[in-house]
Amino acid sequence: MKKIYRGLAAYLCVITIIGLSGCFYKKKTDSESFRAAAEAKGYEIQDVTDRFDPEVGVSKCYYVRIPEENFELAFYAVETQKQAKAMCDQNKKKFENFAGGATGETTGSGNNVKYSLTAEGRYMVNSSIGNTFIYADVPEEKAEDVKAVLNELGY
């Protein structure tokens, strides 16, 4: 009888580990899905990929900028996950410097990490999955719109 319980316990452990590993891995989106989600919110998208030198490694960048609202929202696809992480870390430092050293919230694991900070009337977020990430620096009153885009895309 003990063998049955041990076997059942081992089986349940394996199933639980497999199930949890799916929580750590997210499927990244593509630039066209970002374009569709942002346009559905009424934003005008610009493809600014050609503004980056080839050495930078940005394969796609869609950008929303509304200067009169001080609004920036962008989707980046880069060569590697390591490169996406480095760019997000750089943006995190930029956010924290702007906020006078305040820190935000980091969530995620595996191939996805999300950092968000609300400070000084701004909502700032970097959310990466694999070699893609979404960057936002918007007025706090636009935070819900940006969160809706991120949620729709799984970021």
Side-chain angles (χ1 to χ4, degrees):
M1 195 65 161
K2 286 184 181 183
K3 272 188 160 179
I4 293 174
Y5 286 124
R6 284 185 191 156
L8 184 59
Y11 175 77
L12 290 175
C13 284
V14 170
I15 295 300
T16 302
I17 290 170
I18 291 171
L20 287 176
S21 67
C23 297
F24 300 129
Y25 181 83
K26 285 189 171 185
K27 185 175 188 241
K28 64 185 176 183
T29 193
D30 60 16
S31 57
E32 293 308 314
S33 296
F34 172 80
R35 175 189 285 273
E39 286 177 343
K41 290 287 180 197
Y43 300 125
E44 186 178 318
I45 304 297
Q46 294 178 324
D47 183 345
V48 296
T49 307
D50 61 351
R51 292 185 187 171
F52 296 92
D53 288 329
E55 298 83 38
V56 175
V58 174
S59 58
K60 184 58 84 174
C61 181
Y62 278 160
Y63 190 66
V64 177
R65 183 163 189 262
I66 308 170
E68 59 275 8
E69 294 183 21
N70 202 12
F71 182 102
E72 291 182 79
L73 174 64
F75 171 87
Y76 292 84
V78 295
E79 291 177 357
T80 67
Q81 183 172 335
K82 184 178 179 180
Q83 184 181 7
K85 182 186 179 325
M87 293 174 87
C88 286
D89 287 346
Q90 195 173 44
N91 289 330
K92 176 183 175 182
K93 288 177 188 169
K94 175 185 163 187
F95 294 161
E96 290 175 349
N97 285 339
F98 171 81
T103 57
E105 178 183 13
T106 301
T107 57
S109 60
N111 75 330
N112 65 92
V113 177
K114 181 177 183 177
Y115 176 79
S116 60
L117 172 62
T118 302
E120 306 288 328
R122 310 287 303 157
Y123 174 68
M124 299 165 277
V125 65
N126 268 310
S127 186
S128 67
I129 300 177
N131 67 322
T132 65
F133 68 95
I134 296 176
Y135 166 94
D137 182 358
V138 302
E140 194 172 348
E141 57 270 8
K142 299 287 185 175
E144 292 308 314
D145 288 344
V146 171
K147 288 177 183 178
V149 170
L150 292 171
N151 286 336
E152 180 178 335
L153 298 171
Y155 282 73

